[in-house]
Amino acid sequence: MTSRPISAVAAAAAIALPLALATPAAAQTGALDQAVGGYSFEQAAKEAPGTKNYHSKDGRLTFAIITHTAGNGFFDPTYVGAKVAADAFGINLLMLGSEAPVDDIPRQIEIINQVIQDPTIDGLIITTPQAGAYDDIVSTLLKRGVPVATTNSFDPTLAHRSRISHTGQDASAAAIGGEALAKCVLESGVSGGTIIFPNTTTLGNVEVNNRITAAFEATVKTLNAAGKLANFKVDAGPENIGVDVDSKNIVGSVTSLIESRGDVVGAFAANGFVTPALGDAVAQLKMGDKICSYGFDLGPAQQEQIRTGALDGSLGQQPFLQGFWPVLQLYLQIDRGIAAANLDTRAQLVTKQDVDTVGKRFEN
């Protein structure tokens, strides 16, 4: 191959390029080290001198996070997220919760009432699945000057709601699952049948009940838009918060519900307790190719059921953030005086195509 001479301009450019890339960042224009207000950013980024002695005045911040069901694994990544934030900011963290695998609100409130007697508590994070059950707790702590944050389940009527941050997924996000369910049924080619929404309605979890309503309405809307609504019976119970199933025999009761209807072509469950039961029921009945089944949360059971086809999909609500942000928010309230800021963790629809991409570091 014949070589060609390099022009002087090209040679100069070849030399100039590496020199330009090697120019240190400090030489760039526009660098900032002082605020318009006159203080330095380095100084402003430091923790306030009195933060560690807030409220308990024992030289360290202590937060407690208490959930209504620590026994089914859903909140594991929530506690992980809380621990990551606590470790990052030097906070002592108490991780507590009902030991039951299903919602146990009385037990959670019992634990909370014990914790708020502890004079070392500087901040409290709680789930609030039952409307009106936490008002006295919140009022008591705020009178003491102890900030409160809620996570996961939202009570819009909570005492002092506007002063309290919330981290979680709005129940309306379940509409994503309801839409996916309807599309799955339509694409399956069935001419009709029943679509059910099993739920433990008697447990009184307002957030879960609202998810059922949102998913139900989205399913109806999608079927109606396709001109197929009249072909199906869409059953979410008399109040559209779910067809009640037995929390003490969850798999058996979901199985019986499917068998009793005789023509179920779709089903949606709205939490980390009923969803695995729906997957187990579909698997036991060997109807994975006959029923479009969707649910909530992305625990190990749901992920495996998606892989095997017992579930067609499930919605993740990113529970890692539901622990991480409230710890950070309480810290910011104490150290910076920042008003309560909500975080919507939104919804993540996971199917067989992408199930292996989630849960790699406990974030789901």
PDB file of all heavy atoms in Angstrom, residues 33-41 43-44:
ATOM      1  N   ASP A  33     -17.417  27.831  43.099  1.00  0.00           N
ATOM      2  CA  ASP A  33     -17.058  27.379  44.434  1.00  0.00           C
ATOM      3  C   ASP A  33     -17.734  28.227  45.507  1.00  0.00           C
ATOM      4  O   ASP A  33     -17.602  27.954  46.693  1.00  0.00           O
ATOM      5  CB  ASP A  33     -15.539  27.366  44.638  1.00  0.00           C
ATOM      6  CG  ASP A  33     -14.925  28.754  44.449  1.00  0.00           C
ATOM      7  OD1 ASP A  33     -15.680  29.732  44.262  1.00  0.00           O
ATOM      8  OD2 ASP A  33     -13.689  28.837  44.479  1.00  0.00           O
ATOM      9  N   GLN A  34     -18.454  29.251  45.085  1.00  0.00           N
ATOM     10  CA  GLN A  34     -19.132  30.114  46.044  1.00  0.00           C
ATOM     11  C   GLN A  34     -20.527  30.465  45.537  1.00  0.00           C
ATOM     12  O   GLN A  34     -20.726  30.714  44.354  1.00  0.00           O
ATOM     13  CB  GLN A  34     -18.323  31.393  46.273  1.00  0.00           C
ATOM     14  CG  GLN A  34     -18.918  32.307  47.337  1.00  0.00           C
ATOM     15  CD  GLN A  34     -17.939  33.379  47.770  1.00  0.00           C
ATOM     16  OE1 GLN A  34     -16.812  33.078  48.146  1.00  0.00           O
ATOM     17  NE2 GLN A  34     -18.364  34.626  47.713  1.00  0.00           N
ATOM     18  N   ALA A  35     -21.486  30.461  46.437  1.00  0.00           N
ATOM     19  CA  ALA A  35     -22.860  30.777  46.077  1.00  0.00           C
ATOM     20  C   ALA A  35     -23.037  32.282  45.908  1.00  0.00           C
ATOM     21  O   ALA A  35     -22.258  33.076  46.439  1.00  0.00           O
ATOM     22  CB  ALA A  35     -23.806  30.272  47.159  1.00  0.00           C
ATOM     23  N   VAL A  36     -24.084  32.661  45.195  1.00  0.00           N
ATOM     24  CA  VAL A  36     -24.412  34.070  45.028  1.00  0.00           C
ATOM     25  C   VAL A  36     -24.640  34.721  46.386  1.00  0.00           C
ATOM     26  O   VAL A  36     -24.343  35.894  46.599  1.00  0.00           O
ATOM     27  CB  VAL A  36     -25.661  34.221  44.133  1.00  0.00           C
ATOM     28  CG1 VAL A  36     -26.101  35.677  44.036  1.00  0.00           C
ATOM     29  CG2 VAL A  36     -25.385  33.655  42.743  1.00  0.00           C
ATOM     30  N   GLY A  37     -25.139  33.917  47.332  1.00  0.00           N
ATOM     31  CA  GLY A  37     -25.389  34.430  48.681  1.00  0.00           C
ATOM     32  C   GLY A  37     -24.136  34.695  49.487  1.00  0.00           C
ATOM     33  O   GLY A  37     -24.227  35.179  50.623  1.00  0.00           O
ATOM     34  N   GLY A  38     -22.971  34.323  48.961  1.00  0.00           N
ATOM     35  CA  GLY A  38     -21.727  34.662  49.634  1.00  0.00           C
ATOM     36  C   GLY A  38     -21.056  33.528  50.375  1.00  0.00           C
ATOM     37  O   GLY A  38     -19.895  33.624  50.743  1.00  0.00           O
ATOM     38  N   TYR A  39     -21.759  32.413  50.603  1.00  0.00           N
ATOM     39  CA  TYR A  39     -21.151  31.303  51.330  1.00  0.00           C
ATOM     40  C   TYR A  39     -20.503  30.332  50.343  1.00  0.00           C
ATOM     41  O   TYR A  39     -20.836  30.304  49.169  1.00  0.00           O
ATOM     42  CB  TYR A  39     -22.192  30.576  52.181  1.00  0.00           C
ATOM     43  CG  TYR A  39     -23.396  30.086  51.415  1.00  0.00           C
ATOM     44  CD1 TYR A  39     -23.368  28.867  50.728  1.00  0.00           C
ATOM     45  CD2 TYR A  39     -24.573  30.829  51.377  1.00  0.00           C
ATOM     46  CE1 TYR A  39     -24.464  28.417  50.029  1.00  0.00           C
ATOM     47  CE2 TYR A  39     -25.681  30.397  50.674  1.00  0.00           C
ATOM     48  CZ  TYR A  39     -25.624  29.183  50.004  1.00  0.00           C
ATOM     49  OH  TYR A  39     -26.713  28.738  49.299  1.00  0.00           O
ATOM     50  N   SER A  40     -19.573  29.503  50.846  1.00  0.00           N
ATOM     51  CA  SER A  40     -18.909  28.527  49.983  1.00  0.00           C
ATOM     52  C   SER A  40     -19.742  27.249  49.924  1.00  0.00           C
ATOM     53  O   SER A  40     -20.381  26.860  50.908  1.00  0.00           O
ATOM     54  CB  SER A  40     -17.509  28.198  50.515  1.00  0.00           C
ATOM     55  OG  SER A  40     -17.590  27.398  51.684  1.00  0.00           O
ATOM     56  N   PHE A  41     -19.725  26.603  48.777  1.00  0.00           N
ATOM     57  CA  PHE A  41     -20.463  25.347  48.630  1.00  0.00           C
ATOM     58  C   PHE A  41     -19.871  24.258  49.516  1.00  0.00           C
ATOM     59  O   PHE A  41     -20.588  23.401  50.027  1.00  0.00           O
ATOM     60  CB  PHE A  41     -20.471  24.912  47.162  1.00  0.00           C
ATOM     61  CG  PHE A  41     -21.314  25.784  46.280  1.00  0.00           C
ATOM     62  CD1 PHE A  41     -20.766  26.420  45.189  1.00  0.00           C
ATOM     63  CD2 PHE A  41     -22.656  25.978  46.558  1.00  0.00           C
ATOM     64  CE1 PHE A  41     -21.542  27.230  44.375  1.00  0.00           C
ATOM     65  CE2 PHE A  41     -23.447  26.780  45.750  1.00  0.00           C
ATOM     66  CZ  PHE A  41     -22.887  27.414  44.654  1.00  0.00           C
ATOM     67  N   GLN A  43     -18.566  24.566  52.499  1.00  0.00           N
ATOM     68  CA  GLN A  43     -19.062  24.735  53.854  1.00  0.00           C
ATOM     69  C   GLN A  43     -20.550  24.393  53.941  1.00  0.00           C
ATOM     70  O   GLN A  43     -21.006  23.754  54.890  1.00  0.00           O
ATOM     71  CB  GLN A  43     -18.842  26.187  54.324  1.00  0.00           C
ATOM     72  CG  GLN A  43     -19.276  26.449  55.760  1.00  0.00           C
ATOM     73  CD  GLN A  43     -18.510  25.603  56.775  1.00  0.00           C
ATOM     74  OE1 GLN A  43     -17.331  25.307  56.571  1.00  0.00           O
ATOM     75  NE2 GLN A  43     -19.179  25.180  57.830  1.00  0.00           N
ATOM     76  N   ALA A  44     -21.309  24.800  52.932  1.00  0.00           N
ATOM     77  CA  ALA A  44     -22.751  24.582  52.954  1.00  0.00           C
ATOM     78  C   ALA A  44     -23.119  23.105  52.871  1.00  0.00           C
ATOM     79  O   ALA A  44     -24.189  22.697  53.308  1.00  0.00           O
ATOM     80  CB  ALA A  44     -23.405  25.333  51.795  1.00  0.00           C
TER      81      ALA A  44
END
